[in-house]
Amino acid sequence: MPRVVVPLAGRPYDVRIAPGLLANAGRLIARATRARHLLIVSDRRVDSLHGAALRRALGREFRIDRAVVPAGEASKSLAVAERLYGAARDANLGRDGAVLAFGGGVVGDLAGFVAATWQRGVDFLLVPTTLLSQVDSAVGGKVAVNVGGIKNSVGAFHQPRLVLADTDLLATLPRRELASGLAEVVKYGMIADAALFTRLEREAGELSAGHPGRLSRVVADCCRIKARIVGEDERESGVRTLLNYGHTIGHAFEAVAGGRLRHGEAVALGMRGAARLAVGVGWLSEGDRERQDTLLDRFRLPARFPGPRVVELLAKIKQDKKVRDRRLRFVLTRGIGSASVAPPIEDAEVRRVLAALLHS
Ligand SMILES: NC(=O)c1ccc[n+]([C@@H]2O[C@H](COP(=O)([O-])OP(=O)(O)OC[C@H]3O[C@@H](n4cnc5c(N)ncnc54)[C@H](O)[C@@H]3O)[C@@H](O)[C@H]2O)c1
Ligand SMILES: [Zn+2]
């Protein structure tokens, strides 16, 4: 069973990846934490599809309390976090208890935020159920809620004790959610792993169809890349920034789309834009840009998002943390499999690239 260690000084933790892993959850969790009292946080959809299987797997060894929140980004709020504090209080969850997130990135970020803050921090366990959360959000300890209309504006670094990625859970994932996760997978290929990228090109058909074996291997590869990067730079003061490839433009689209774009869909648009910028500065060949875009097409990820205006998107981008000296900096690739932060780019060039993403 693939096991990836997130090599954090003082407190490394395991990410386990395998089809059918859920059945071993009780034994693996009992080894990773001393807690025998768990507050399981889930959304309605995941709870109704897979909640019973998780509880069965945990067996009699744990005292279990459950909190179920509505599915969707709106649950990443202080109001919902407060309801979870209420659930923790009603369950008498003490410092020797743990919060277990069972769901996608929304549940993971929200439950992790509660675990980081309830009684100044309790153990945190993650059982991610979307491809996006298995390849990305479950590894690295960033937890947050959205406050004041700004995504992830209030949060913490709170690393889990264990991450269990059961790729069988992906079988019930809607096609659009699977594609959204595949966008982040393409990102890892572009920034860090040319061999992974080539395999994605070869296996694109099977991956979009949800082939469990192919997906497991991809999840393991992505977790390995993310674990290495997080191990080098837990607090994002250096190399971890590269994981934001496609996210500067992507977040702007996500913000103006008001829920009409999945996170990965917005990131796909952002990567298409970033690749154009990279060609413009002479870092990426036109051929490699086409390879990226063709792969995104094969995963049926959007190439255009008509509606917003260029000025609106540019304003959102400028709110982004990475603006320095009022000129924009982007993570760009120097060929497939390698990325760096590029020198500042003129607004006119960014506008040109944004316009291309708005019109066909
Ligand atoms: N912490 C990080 O490092 C990090 C990184 C990337 C993204 N994120 C966050 O992750 C969130 C997006 O995560 P997401 O894409 O997983 O979205 P999500 O958690 O909203 O899940 C997407 C949808 O899939 C459903 N679902 C989940 N598992 C399912 C399953 N196995 N079968 C059927 N349906 C299932 C959910 O109910 C939901 O409706 C965003 O809030 C983003 O900010 C965090
Ligand atoms: Zn992302």
Side-chain angles (χ1 to χ4, degrees), residues 6-51:
V6 184
L8 291 171
R11 227 193 64 186
Y13 59 93
D14 279 2
V15 182
R16 302 279 185 143
I17 304 119
L21 192 58
L22 199 65
N24 303 318
R27 181 173 55 83
L28 292 169
I29 289 173
R31 261 199 255 147
T33 174
R34 280 201 298 272
R36 292 296 175 269
H37 181 189
L38 305 179
L39 177 64
I40 300 179
V41 179
S42 204
D43 73 27
R44 283 210 182 97
R45 189 181 174 95
V46 174
D47 180 63
S48 67
L49 286 167
H50 303 290

Side-chain angles (χ1 to χ4, degrees), residues 58-201:
L58 289 170
R60 294 175 189 284
E61 211 171 325
F62 297 94
R63 176 184 157 197
I64 292 173
D65 284 281
R66 292 153 66 190
V68 179
V69 304
E73 184 74 21
S75 282
K76 259 175 72 170
S77 70
L78 282 176
V80 176
E82 193 165 2
R83 273 180 35 214
L84 295 178
Y85 296 136
R89 177 204 56 212
D90 294 347
N92 276 319
L93 192 81
R95 293 289 302 277
D96 56 353
V99 173
L100 187 161
F102 186 50
V106 163
V107 162
D109 283 10
L110 168 72
F113 179 78
V114 168
T117 46
W118 177 248
Q119 302 201 348
R120 298 197 180 80
V122 296
D123 275 7
F124 179 39
L125 303 152
L126 271 158
V127 183
T129 63
T130 60
L131 181 60
L132 187 131
S133 57
Q134 293 191 353
V135 299
D136 191 355
S137 61
V139 178
K142 279 193 189 175
V143 299
V145 292
N146 309 326
V147 177
I150 303 173
K151 217 171 134 76
N152 302 328
S153 47
V154 177
F157 287 93
H158 191 62
Q159 301 289 345
R161 293 280 177 192
L162 176 70
V163 180
L164 294 181
D166 180 345
T167 47
D168 276 350
L169 295 171
L170 305 178
T172 54
L173 208 57
R175 191 203 67 77
R176 227 183 134 184
E177 299 297 342
L178 189 71
S180 175
L182 286 168
E184 299 280 6
V185 173
V186 173
K187 177 189 82 178
Y188 286 109
M190 286 302 291
I191 65 168
D193 192 339
L196 169 64
F197 189 92
T198 309
R199 206 169 79 235
L200 297 175
E201 293 180 308

Side-chain angles (χ1 to χ4, degrees), residues 93 119 144 214 224 257 285 307 360:
L93 192 81
Q119 302 201 348
R214 299 273 189 262
R224 228 170 263 128
S285 71
S360 38

Side-chain angles (χ1 to χ4, degrees), residues 186 194-208 211 214 217-218 221 291 294-295 298-299:
V186 173
L196 169 64
F197 189 92
T198 309
R199 206 169 79 235
L200 297 175
E201 293 180 308
R202 207 168 50 235
E203 297 175 353
E206 288 165 303
L207 288 166
S208 342
H211 189 295
R214 299 273 189 262
R217 189 161 167 221
V218 158
D221 284 347
R291 279 178 72 192
T294 303
L295 186 55
R298 291 183 68 196
F299 290 146

